[in-house]
Amino acid sequence: MLDETHLVSTNLSASDVPEAQPSQAPPSTITPQLQNVVATANLEIRIDLNIVARQARNADYKPKRFTAVVLRIREPKATALIFASGKMVITGARSELDARLAGRKFARIVAKCGYHPKFLDFKVQNIVGSADVGHCIRLEGVERHIRLEDVDKPVNQRRGAAYDPDIFPGLVLRWMDPRVVFLVFVSGRVVITGAKTREQLYEGFRKVLPYLKYYVIEGLAQPVRKKKKKKKQHSQD
Protein backbone atom coordinates (compact mmCIF):
# COMPACT_ATOMS: atom_id res chain seq x y z
CA MET A 1 0.00 0.00 0.00
CA LEU A 2 1.05 3.60 -0.49
CA ASP A 3 2.41 5.61 2.39
CA GLU A 4 1.04 9.00 3.32
CA THR A 5 3.61 10.97 1.30
CA HIS A 6 2.23 9.37 -1.86
CA LEU A 7 -1.32 10.15 -0.89
CA VAL A 8 -0.72 13.89 -0.67
CA SER A 9 1.00 14.11 -4.05
CA THR A 10 -0.77 16.60 -6.31
CA ASN A 11 -0.10 14.40 -9.35
CA LEU A 12 -1.78 11.36 -7.86
CA SER A 13 -4.93 10.09 -9.52
CA ALA A 14 -7.65 8.06 -7.88
CA SER A 15 -6.61 4.95 -9.83
CA ASP A 16 -3.19 5.08 -8.16
CA VAL A 17 -4.66 4.70 -4.70
CA PRO A 18 -5.12 1.09 -3.61
CA GLU A 19 -8.57 0.61 -2.14
CA ALA A 20 -8.38 -0.77 1.38
CA GLN A 21 -10.40 -3.96 1.24
CA PRO A 22 -11.52 -5.72 4.42
CA SER A 23 -9.64 -8.84 3.30
CA GLN A 24 -6.36 -6.90 3.40
CA ALA A 25 -6.70 -6.24 7.10
CA PRO A 26 -5.31 -8.76 9.58
CA PRO A 27 -7.92 -10.91 11.33
CA SER A 28 -9.42 -8.87 14.12
CA THR A 29 -11.32 -9.80 17.23
CA ILE A 30 -12.56 -6.23 17.66
CA THR A 31 -16.33 -6.22 17.93
CA PRO A 32 -18.26 -2.97 18.41
CA GLN A 33 -20.29 -2.85 21.60
CA LEU A 34 -23.88 -1.63 21.44
CA GLN A 35 -24.34 1.53 23.50
CA ASN A 36 -27.82 2.72 22.61
CA VAL A 37 -30.81 1.48 20.65
CA VAL A 38 -33.46 3.99 19.58
CA ALA A 39 -36.84 2.60 18.56
CA THR A 40 -40.36 3.84 17.93
CA ALA A 41 -43.80 2.35 18.55
CA ASN A 42 -47.44 3.36 18.42
CA LEU A 43 -49.88 3.00 21.33
CA GLU A 44 -52.83 3.73 19.00
CA ILE A 45 -54.64 6.03 21.48
CA ARG A 46 -54.88 9.70 22.35
CA ILE A 47 -53.30 10.43 25.72
CA ASP A 48 -53.74 13.23 28.24
CA LEU A 49 -50.10 13.66 29.21
CA ASN A 50 -51.00 15.52 32.40
CA ILE A 51 -52.75 12.40 33.70
CA VAL A 52 -49.75 10.20 32.92
CA ALA A 53 -47.39 12.71 34.53
CA ARG A 54 -49.47 12.75 37.73
CA GLN A 55 -50.05 9.02 38.07
CA ALA A 56 -46.89 7.38 36.71
CA ARG A 57 -43.71 7.05 38.74
CA ASN A 58 -40.46 8.52 37.40
CA ALA A 59 -42.41 10.75 35.01
CA ASP A 60 -41.27 14.18 33.87
CA TYR A 61 -43.53 16.52 31.92
CA LYS A 62 -42.73 20.15 31.14
CA PRO A 63 -45.05 21.11 28.27
CA LYS A 64 -43.53 24.56 27.86
CA ARG A 65 -40.17 22.98 27.05
CA PHE A 66 -41.12 19.71 25.33
CA THR A 67 -44.39 18.27 24.07
CA ALA A 68 -43.89 14.73 25.41
CA VAL A 69 -43.93 13.13 28.83
CA VAL A 70 -40.66 11.41 29.76
CA LEU A 71 -40.85 8.02 31.49
CA ARG A 72 -37.92 6.03 32.85
CA ILE A 73 -37.54 2.43 33.98
CA ARG A 74 -34.57 0.64 35.52
CA GLU A 75 -34.96 -2.90 34.13
CA PRO A 76 -34.15 -2.84 31.33
CA LYS A 77 -32.71 0.63 31.71
CA ALA A 78 -34.49 2.82 29.18
CA THR A 79 -36.29 6.11 28.65
CA ALA A 80 -39.49 6.75 26.71
CA LEU A 81 -40.86 9.91 25.13
CA ILE A 82 -44.63 9.56 24.93
CA PHE A 83 -46.63 12.03 22.86
CA ALA A 84 -50.31 12.92 23.09
CA SER A 85 -50.87 11.23 19.72
CA GLY A 86 -49.83 7.88 21.21
CA LYS A 87 -46.49 7.84 19.41
CA MET A 88 -43.61 6.62 21.55
CA VAL A 89 -39.83 6.84 21.23
CA ILE A 90 -37.71 4.41 23.27
CA THR A 91 -34.06 5.22 23.88
CA GLY A 92 -31.24 4.14 26.16
CA ALA A 93 -31.66 0.37 25.70
CA ARG A 94 -28.55 -1.73 25.07
CA SER A 95 -30.12 -4.19 22.62
CA GLU A 96 -33.05 -4.56 20.25
CA LEU A 97 -34.68 -7.05 22.61
CA ASP A 98 -34.33 -4.69 25.58
CA ALA A 99 -35.84 -1.87 23.52
CA ARG A 100 -38.89 -3.99 22.67
CA LEU A 101 -39.26 -5.19 26.27
CA ALA A 102 -38.95 -1.63 27.57
CA GLY A 103 -41.57 -0.46 25.07
CA ARG A 104 -44.06 -3.03 26.34
CA LYS A 105 -43.37 -2.00 29.93
CA PHE A 106 -43.99 1.64 29.07
CA ALA A 107 -47.28 0.62 27.44
CA ARG A 108 -48.28 -1.12 30.69
CA ILE A 109 -47.44 2.02 32.65
CA VAL A 110 -49.80 3.99 30.41
CA ALA A 111 -52.44 1.28 30.91
CA LYS A 112 -52.22 1.72 34.69
CA CYS A 113 -53.15 5.37 34.15
CA GLY A 114 -56.59 4.32 32.88
CA TYR A 115 -55.91 3.85 29.17
CA HIS A 116 -56.13 0.81 26.90
CA PRO A 117 -53.01 1.13 24.75
CA LYS A 118 -51.85 -1.23 22.04
CA PHE A 119 -48.23 -1.86 21.14
CA LEU A 120 -47.91 -1.59 17.37
CA ASP A 121 -45.39 -0.69 14.67
CA PHE A 122 -42.30 -1.30 16.79
CA LYS A 123 -39.25 -0.37 14.72
CA VAL A 124 -35.58 0.16 15.48
CA GLN A 125 -34.56 3.55 14.09
CA ASN A 126 -30.92 3.82 15.14
CA ILE A 127 -28.26 1.67 16.76
CA VAL A 128 -25.20 3.31 18.29
CA GLY A 129 -22.07 1.30 18.97
CA SER A 130 -18.48 1.94 19.95
CA ALA A 131 -15.13 0.22 19.60
CA ASP A 132 -11.44 0.77 20.31
CA VAL A 133 -8.93 -0.25 17.62
CA GLY A 134 -6.09 -0.43 20.15
CA HIS A 135 -3.77 2.25 18.75
CA CYS A 136 -3.70 5.95 17.90
CA ILE A 137 -4.86 6.88 14.39
CA ARG A 138 -3.54 9.42 11.89
CA LEU A 139 -6.91 10.96 11.05
CA GLU A 140 -5.73 13.26 8.26
CA GLY A 141 -4.25 10.25 6.46
CA VAL A 142 -7.54 8.34 6.58
CA GLU A 143 -9.42 11.39 5.32
CA ARG A 144 -7.10 11.94 2.32
CA HIS A 145 -7.07 8.25 1.44
CA ILE A 146 -10.86 8.01 1.27
CA ARG A 147 -11.23 11.30 -0.60
CA LEU A 148 -8.75 10.17 -3.27
CA GLU A 149 -10.41 6.77 -3.63
CA ASP A 150 -13.74 8.46 -4.29
CA VAL A 151 -12.55 11.00 -6.89
CA ASP A 152 -13.74 8.99 -9.91
CA LYS A 153 -16.89 7.62 -8.29
CA PRO A 154 -20.37 9.02 -9.03
CA VAL A 155 -21.45 11.63 -6.52
CA ASN A 156 -24.16 9.38 -5.07
CA GLN A 157 -21.56 6.68 -4.35
CA ARG A 158 -18.96 8.84 -2.63
CA ARG A 159 -18.30 8.43 1.06
CA GLY A 160 -18.06 11.58 3.10
CA ALA A 161 -14.82 12.18 4.98
CA ALA A 162 -14.40 15.37 7.01
CA TYR A 163 -11.70 16.25 9.51
CA ASP A 164 -11.34 19.76 10.90
CA PRO A 165 -9.89 19.67 14.44
CA ASP A 166 -10.73 23.36 14.93
CA ILE A 167 -14.44 22.48 14.69
CA PHE A 168 -14.60 18.88 15.95
CA PRO A 169 -11.78 16.71 17.35
CA GLY A 170 -12.79 13.61 15.42
CA LEU A 171 -12.89 12.41 11.82
CA VAL A 172 -16.44 12.05 10.48
CA LEU A 173 -16.89 9.26 7.95
CA ARG A 174 -20.22 8.81 6.19
CA TRP A 175 -20.35 5.35 4.63
CA MET A 176 -22.75 4.55 1.80
CA ASP A 177 -23.02 0.76 2.01
CA PRO A 178 -24.12 0.17 4.66
CA ARG A 179 -25.39 3.67 5.41
CA VAL A 180 -23.70 4.38 8.74
CA VAL A 181 -21.65 7.23 10.22
CA PHE A 182 -18.34 6.86 12.06
CA LEU A 183 -16.80 9.31 14.50
CA VAL A 184 -13.12 8.38 14.70
CA PHE A 185 -10.78 9.90 17.29
CA VAL A 186 -6.99 10.06 17.45
CA SER A 187 -7.03 7.87 20.56
CA GLY A 188 -8.39 4.95 18.53
CA ARG A 189 -11.91 5.30 19.85
CA VAL A 190 -14.66 4.85 17.25
CA VAL A 191 -18.37 5.64 17.59
CA ILE A 192 -20.74 4.14 15.01
CA THR A 193 -24.24 5.49 14.51
CA GLY A 194 -27.04 5.38 11.96
CA ALA A 195 -27.32 1.59 11.67
CA LYS A 196 -30.80 0.06 11.57
CA THR A 197 -29.56 -3.41 12.54
CA ARG A 198 -26.54 -4.70 14.39
CA GLU A 199 -25.53 -6.52 11.19
CA GLN A 200 -25.22 -3.15 9.44
CA LEU A 201 -23.16 -1.83 12.35
CA TYR A 202 -20.78 -4.81 12.27
CA GLU A 203 -20.48 -4.77 8.47
CA GLY A 204 -19.73 -1.04 8.39
CA PHE A 205 -17.05 -1.37 11.05
CA ARG A 206 -15.48 -4.33 9.21
CA LYS A 207 -15.20 -2.18 6.06
CA VAL A 208 -13.68 0.87 7.75
CA LEU A 209 -11.27 -1.04 10.01
CA PRO A 210 -8.52 -1.54 7.35
CA TYR A 211 -8.12 2.23 7.00
CA LEU A 212 -7.85 2.67 10.76
CA LYS A 213 -5.33 -0.17 11.03
CA TYR A 214 -3.18 1.25 8.22
CA TYR A 215 -2.79 4.80 9.57
CA VAL A 216 -1.13 4.07 12.88
CA ILE A 217 0.70 6.85 14.72
CA GLU A 218 3.92 5.10 15.65
CA GLY A 219 5.36 5.77 19.09
CA LEU A 220 2.23 7.45 20.46
CA ALA A 221 0.61 5.53 23.27
CA GLN A 222 -3.12 5.53 23.80
CA PRO A 223 -4.31 7.74 26.65
CA VAL A 224 -5.18 5.82 29.79
CA ARG A 225 -8.84 6.15 30.63
CA LYS A 226 -9.46 6.51 34.32
CA LYS A 227 -12.18 4.36 35.74
CA LYS A 228 -14.92 6.24 37.49
CA LYS A 229 -14.99 5.58 41.19
CA LYS A 230 -18.32 4.57 42.58
CA LYS A 231 -19.53 6.83 45.33
CA LYS A 232 -20.04 5.07 48.62
CA GLN A 233 -23.55 5.30 49.92
CA HIS A 234 -23.67 6.05 53.63
CA SER A 235 -26.51 4.37 55.43
CA GLN A 236 -28.67 6.57 57.58
CA ASP A 237 -29.08 5.57 61.21
Side-chain angles (χ1 to χ4, degrees):
M1 297 182 72
L2 299 178
D3 59 25
E4 192 176 351
T5 57
H6 288 105
L7 292 176
V8 298
S9 172
T10 56
N11 297 323
L12 185 64
S13 65
S15 60
D16 296 323
V17 180
E19 188 169 357
Q21 298 293 339
S23 59
Q24 294 176 340
S28 174
T29 57
I30 304 173
T31 301
Q33 301 298 311
L34 271 60
Q35 301 295 339
N36 185 21
V37 176
V38 180
T40 55
N42 192 350
L43 302 179
E44 281 285 311
I45 53 169
R46 296 289 305 180
I47 301 172
D48 186 333
L49 300 183
N50 288 294
I51 293 177
V52 176
R54 286 196 302 267
Q55 297 187 16
R57 297 177 61 184
N58 298 319
D60 186 15
Y61 182 46
K62 298 177 181 177
K64 291 183 179 180
R65 297 180 60 183
F66 191 56
T67 58
V69 62
V70 181
L71 298 179
R72 296 179 177 86
I73 57 175
R74 294 182 178 179
E75 188 58 42
K77 187 176 181 180
T79 300
L81 308 177
I82 299 179
F83 297 85
S85 63
K87 302 289 185 180
M88 176 169 60
V89 178
I90 305 117
T91 184
R94 290 299 185 99
S95 71
E96 302 94 317
L97 183 61
D98 280 354
R100 182 182 290 273
L101 177 59
R104 291 189 178 277
K105 286 191 173 184
F106 287 125
R108 286 199 291 270
I109 291 173
V110 173
K112 290 180 180 179
C113 297
Y115 293 95
H116 300 283
K118 298 179 182 179
F119 185 71
L120 303 175
D121 305 328
F122 176 84
K123 184 178 181 181
V124 174
Q125 301 291 347
N126 184 23
I127 297 179
V128 180
S130 65
D132 194 323
V133 300
H135 60 77
C136 293
I137 303 169
R138 193 179 304 279
L139 301 182
E140 62 274 17
V142 178
E143 180 196 27
R144 282 195 290 266
H145 195 143
I146 291 176
R147 284 181 178 274
L148 285 169
E149 278 187 351
D150 288 355
V151 166
D152 294 332
K153 292 183 179 180
V155 175
N156 61 350
Q157 294 181 13
R158 293 179 184 176
R159 301 156 295 181
Y163 178 53
D164 188 343
D166 293 331
I167 298 176
F168 182 69
L171 166 65
V172 181
L173 297 176
R174 300 183 184 277
W175 228 249
M176 297 299 295
D177 183 25
R179 193 174 290 274
V180 292
V181 177
F182 300 90
L183 306 178
V184 187
F185 299 91
V186 173
S187 64
R189 188 75 171 172
V190 183
V191 177
I192 311 108
T193 185
K196 300 291 186 180
T197 65
R198 66 173 65 199
E199 288 75 19
Q200 287 183 354
L201 186 142
Y202 294 153
E203 181 187 357
F205 183 73
R206 179 177 60 84
K207 288 184 175 181
V208 81
L209 186 59
Y211 299 92
L212 310 184
K213 286 287 189 181
Y214 184 64
Y215 287 95
V216 180
I217 300 180
E218 300 290 350
L220 182 60
Q222 282 188 294
V224 178
R225 296 185 178 89
K226 295 182 179 179
K227 294 183 178 180
K228 294 182 180 179
K229 295 182 179 179
K230 294 183 179 180
K231 294 182 180 180
K232 294 182 179 180
Q233 295 182 348
H234 299 283
S235 58
Q236 296 181 355
D237 296 332

